[in-house]
């Protein structure tokens, strides 16, 4: 009878079984404790007779679940289309996957149950989520998120046997409200089927809670279903996977997690928590003003970027920053800048100037010596801060950004001819724009933005955008006066990083070997 293997051990049937109708000798190998790159082990079989081909399924990356009916055990998997690399080979490029069931037919029901139990026991060691709350934004992008959930997310969740509740968001900040009131004990993770905005709302909702220390530990998942999809692209591209809803939900089902930096954006008592980016100048103008062309989907960004370059704006202002090691040569000594950045509190709650209690996280207590600060004077075409490499599915502004290094990657463009700027923007898809002499690229520990008015048009300001949401907009900007923004344009805005504060579901990196899997 087959049981759960000891660490790094193998079990095989005493007699051949039939795999997808072909007689084979099968072995279930459980990886050593601690895991490595194939933490759950693998199911391997060799066909008896004929060509004697070998096949293998990695339990932690490809197997969704198992089910037995009589003498047949069905292994439900999501595997690389067209096969994977042989042992000793290296994966490369973006891989697409397909759903496939593998049927193991044993000689008896007892033997079949032994295989099912052994496979399930291996899967149970992986720490996969069993209960997920799925938040679907029906308004994002081309409004395809509900269809993405129904056609690509739900089938894989069902195959994996994951319990879930799907809830559509009804209005802006609805996800933030849900996160703020959520019963944390009911769920193993929160999944956002949307662009990046719903994920950001959930992070802000968690950090506004009185029990924010517990809430922010809840694993978060992102399935691309909006316009930008920068977080999903960053996570999947890091391991050579195609940015698709099915690949994203697979990584969530598999349960692998990694820490994620969270940036505190602060102006006085007003606080916003960012996980993706902050922009001012050209990129913010394109991101926010292109909303009028939302019906175009992600193409609106390229279209409006062209319009904005042809009618280029530049902004007065100043930026200060504490450079990361190796970037101290950027800028000039700031001189006289007050060292405290985010106040002198680090408590679960604090009191605002009005005497009212503010619950939730107020940001890190960080103070740098005045001598550590550097500054760059405007005018500026664009200032762009990034926490992850990709800002959207086709733009990689910060190719050196890491998910939890404790730094922000900063791009500054001051002077640039329009022709060079257009060329530069076309290189965003591969990150080579950072090699341009017109781009200043560096990493910082802390950042302070002092935004000013447009050059040659002092009656008009700019837009400050973080993670797709407007934080502040100056006079004369798109929809200015129609919305109450959380921060004021013209006053300093400060930004610091909490290294690895949040946790996000992430795909596993490819194994050092990936057996000669399936001739699909």
């Amino acid at each position: 009878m087959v049981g759960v293997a000891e660490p790094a051990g193998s079990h095989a049937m005493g007699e051949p079984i039939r795999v997808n109708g072909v007689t084979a000798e099968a072995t279930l190998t459980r990886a050593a404790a601690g895991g490595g790159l194939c933490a759950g082990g693998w199911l391997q079989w060799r066909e008896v007779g004929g060509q004697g081909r070998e096949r293998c399924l990695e339990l932690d990356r490809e197997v969704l679940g198992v089910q037995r009916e009589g003498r047949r055990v069905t292994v439900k998997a999501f595997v690389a289309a067209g096969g994977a690399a042989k042992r000793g080979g290296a994966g490369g490029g973006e891989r697409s996957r397909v759903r496939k069931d593998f049927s193991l037919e044993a000689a008896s029901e007892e033997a079949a149950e032994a295989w099912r139990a052994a496979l399930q026991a291996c899967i149970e060691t992986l720490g996969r989520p069993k209960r997920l709350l799925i938040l679907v934004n029906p308004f994002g992008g081309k409004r395809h998120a509900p269809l993405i959930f129904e056609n690509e997310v739900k089938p894989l969740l069902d195959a994996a046997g994951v319990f879930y509740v799907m809830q559509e968001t009804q209005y802006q900040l609805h996800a933030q409200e849900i996160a703020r009131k959520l019963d944390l004990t009911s769920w193993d993770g929160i999944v956002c089927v949307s662009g990046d905005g719903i994920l950001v709302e959930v992070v802000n909702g968690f950090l506004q809670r009185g029990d924010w220390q517990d809430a922010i530990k809840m694993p978060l998942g992102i399935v691309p279903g909006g316009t930008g999809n920068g977080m999903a692209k960053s996570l999947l591209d890091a391991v050579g996977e195609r940015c698709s809803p099915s690949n994203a939900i697979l990584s969530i089902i598999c349960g692998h997690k990694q820490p994620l930096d969270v940036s505190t954006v602060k102006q006085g008592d007003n606080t916003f928590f960012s996980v993706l980016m902050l922009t001012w100048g050209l990129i913010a103008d394109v991101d926010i003003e292109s909303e009028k062309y939302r019906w175009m989907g992600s193409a609106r960004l390229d279209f409006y970027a062209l319009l904005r370059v042809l009618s280029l704006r530049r902004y007065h202002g100043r930026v200060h920053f504490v450079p990361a090691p190796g970037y101290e040569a950027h800028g000039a000594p700031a001189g006289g800048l007050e060292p405290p950045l985010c106040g002198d509190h680090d408590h679960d709650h604090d009191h605002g100037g009005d005497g009212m209690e503010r619950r939730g996280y107020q940001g890190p207590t960080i103070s740098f010596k005045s001598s550590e600060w550097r500054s760059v004077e405007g005018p500026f075409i664009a200032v762009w801060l990034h926490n992850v490499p990709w800002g959207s599915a086709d733009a990689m502004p910060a190719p050196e950004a890491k998910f939890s290094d404790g730094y922000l990657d900063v791009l500054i463009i001051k002077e640039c001819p329009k022709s060079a700027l257009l060329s530069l923007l076309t290189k965003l898809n591969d990150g080579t724009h950072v090699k341009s002499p017109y781009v200043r690229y560096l990493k910082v520990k802390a950042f302070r933005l002092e935004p000013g008015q447009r050059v040659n048009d002092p009656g008009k300001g700019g837009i400050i955008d973080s993670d797709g949401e407007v934080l502040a907009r100056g006079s004369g900007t798109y929809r200015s006066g129609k919305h109450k923004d959380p921060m004021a344009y013209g006053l300093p805005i400060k930004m610091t990083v909490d290294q690895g504060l949040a946790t996000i579901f992430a795909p596993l990196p490819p194994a050092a070997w990936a057996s000669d899997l399936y001739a699909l």
Side-chain angles (χ1 to χ4, degrees):
M1 186 171 181
V2 178
V4 179
E6 292 298 321
S10 300
H11 278 279
M13 280 287 192
E15 58 187 41
I17 61 173
R18 295 178 68 82
V19 181
N20 289 347
V22 178
T23 302
E25 295 175 347
T27 302
L28 173 62
T29 302
R30 174 123 168 231
L37 288 177
C38 195
W42 49 92
L43 173 65
Q44 192 170 9
W45 64 94
R46 177 181 303 197
E47 296 176 1
V48 176
Q51 298 179 357
R53 295 181 301 176
E54 288 189 29
R55 299 290 183 266
C56 180
L57 283 174
E58 295 178 81
L59 300 184
D60 55 352
R61 288 174 175 77
E62 298 163 325
V63 174
L64 299 170
V66 294
Q67 177 181 318
R68 182 180 73 85
E69 184 174 350
R71 296 187 295 114
R72 179 175 286 113
V73 176
T74 300
V75 180
K76 301 176 181 181
F78 195 51
V79 298
K86 296 180 180 180
R87 287 198 181 202
E94 294 186 338
R95 296 172 290 176
S96 59
R97 294 177 178 269
V98 296
R99 261 285 285 123
K100 186 174 178 65
D101 287 345
F102 294 85
S103 175
L104 281 61
E105 187 176 351
S108 66
E109 291 191 13
E110 290 78 10
E113 175 58 22
W115 273 106
R116 187 210 63 79
L119 285 163
Q120 187 63 44
C122 288
I123 292 172
E124 291 292 331
T125 66
L126 299 174
R128 292 183 171 182
K130 294 181 170 62
R131 303 163 301 168
L132 293 174
L133 176 62
I134 316 290
L135 300 180
V136 177
N137 178 14
F139 307 108
K142 294 186 177 180
R143 306 194 174 198
H144 289 169
L147 285 176
I148 289 172
F149 171 78
E150 193 66 31
N151 297 335
E152 300 191 59
V153 175
K154 184 177 182 294
L156 295 185
L157 290 172
D158 290 340
V162 177
F163 172 80
Y164 60 87
V165 171
M166 188 276 279
Q167 181 174 354
E168 290 190 358
T169 55
Q170 301 299 316
Y171 45 85
Q172 189 176 17
L173 300 184
H174 189 195
Q176 181 170 306
E177 179 183 308
I178 292 170
R180 197 165 53 240
K181 300 177 180 178
L182 191 69
D183 178 5
L184 300 176
T185 63
S186 297
W187 308 103
D188 299 322
I190 311 299
V191 177
C192 307
V193 183
S194 67
D196 298 301
I198 298 300
L199 176 68
V200 175
E201 287 190 24
V202 171
V203 169
N204 277 267
F206 280 165
L207 291 173
Q208 291 168 5
R209 296 168 60 119
D211 62 346
W212 65 267
Q213 299 100 323
D214 296 323
I216 199 62
K217 295 176 185 176
M218 175 74 70
L220 304 171
I222 182 72
V223 174
T227 299
N229 305 317
M231 183 62 73
K233 175 68 174 183
S234 295
L235 290 165
L236 291 163
D237 182 71
V239 298
E241 295 283 2
R242 186 168 59 92
C243 183
S244 69
S246 55
N247 281 343
I249 194 61
L250 173 67
S251 67
I252 293 165
I253 289 169
C254 289
H256 179 248
K257 299 175 282 287
Q258 70 179 36
L260 177 68
D261 289 348
V262 177
S263 297
T264 300
V265 185
K266 203 167 183 68
Q267 184 185 76
D269 291 336
N270 298 315
T271 303
F272 178 82
F273 299 103
S274 166
V275 295
L276 197 72
M277 63 182 176
L278 182 141
T279 63
W280 171 56
L282 174 64
I283 304 304
D285 293 346
V286 170
D287 192 21
I288 301 305
E289 294 177 1
S290 67
E291 289 284 337
K292 65 187 79 170
Y293 304 106
R294 180 166 283 274
W295 55 270
M296 297 175 65
S298 58
R300 69 181 171 91
L301 300 172
D302 294 334
F303 170 73
Y304 197 71
L306 175 61
L307 295 184
R308 281 273 52 86
V309 171
L310 294 177
S311 181
L312 192 61
R313 301 167 181 165
R314 295 167 66 237
Y315 294 90
H316 293 292
R318 181 185 299 109
V319 299
H320 305 278
F321 51 87
V322 178
Y327 295 90
E328 294 88 351
H330 288 274
L337 187 69
E338 295 182 5
L341 189 68
C342 279
D344 55 2
H345 47 262
D346 189 23
H347 308 291
D348 296 351
H349 55 79
D350 201 357
H351 294 271
D354 56 5
M356 297 293 290
E357 184 179 67
R358 296 197 307 265
R359 297 186 61 80
Y361 184 46
Q362 296 302 310
T365 299
I366 297 179
S367 181
F368 297 100
K369 296 178 182 178
S370 296
S371 60
E372 294 182 273
W373 288 87
R374 311 285 292 178
S375 67
V376 175
E377 296 279 346
F380 301 96
I381 292 174
V383 175
W384 202 349
L385 294 92
H386 249 266
N387 188 41
V388 297
W390 293 83
S392 66
D394 56 3
M396 182 170 55
E400 300 301 320
K402 310 298 180 187
F403 294 101
S404 58
D405 62 356
Y407 301 121
L408 287 162
D409 286 42
V410 182
L411 291 87
I412 298 173
I413 303 175
K414 291 190 61 180
E415 301 284 349
C416 187
K418 292 180 182 180
S419 59
L421 186 57
L422 282 173
S423 174
L424 186 154
L425 292 176
T426 64
K427 297 176 181 178
L428 281 170
N429 62 346
D430 62 9
T432 57
H433 62 286
V434 300
K435 299 178 181 179
S436 167
Y438 301 106
V439 175
R440 186 193 297 262
Y441 184 88
L442 67 152
K443 288 178 178 284
V444 303
K445 301 175 184 178
F447 192 84
R448 174 181 169 125
L449 170 65
E450 297 176 5
Q453 301 297 93
R454 295 182 197 172
V455 174
N456 299 325
D457 197 352
K460 295 182 179 180
I463 295 172
I464 300 172
D465 161 36
S466 184
D467 297 359
E469 301 299 325
V470 175
L471 294 185
R473 65 185 102 205
S475 59
T477 59
Y478 176 68
R479 299 181 70 85
S480 62
K482 295 184 178 181
H483 296 277
K484 180 174 174 55
D485 300 317
M487 298 181 186
Y489 189 84
L491 298 179
I493 290 178
K494 310 163 190 178
M495 201 168 182
T496 49
V497 186
D498 269 300
Q499 185 172 7
L501 182 64
T503 300
I504 195 161
F505 289 110
L508 280 162
W513 63 270
S515 45
D516 186 11
L517 299 182
Y518 335 96
L520 296 176

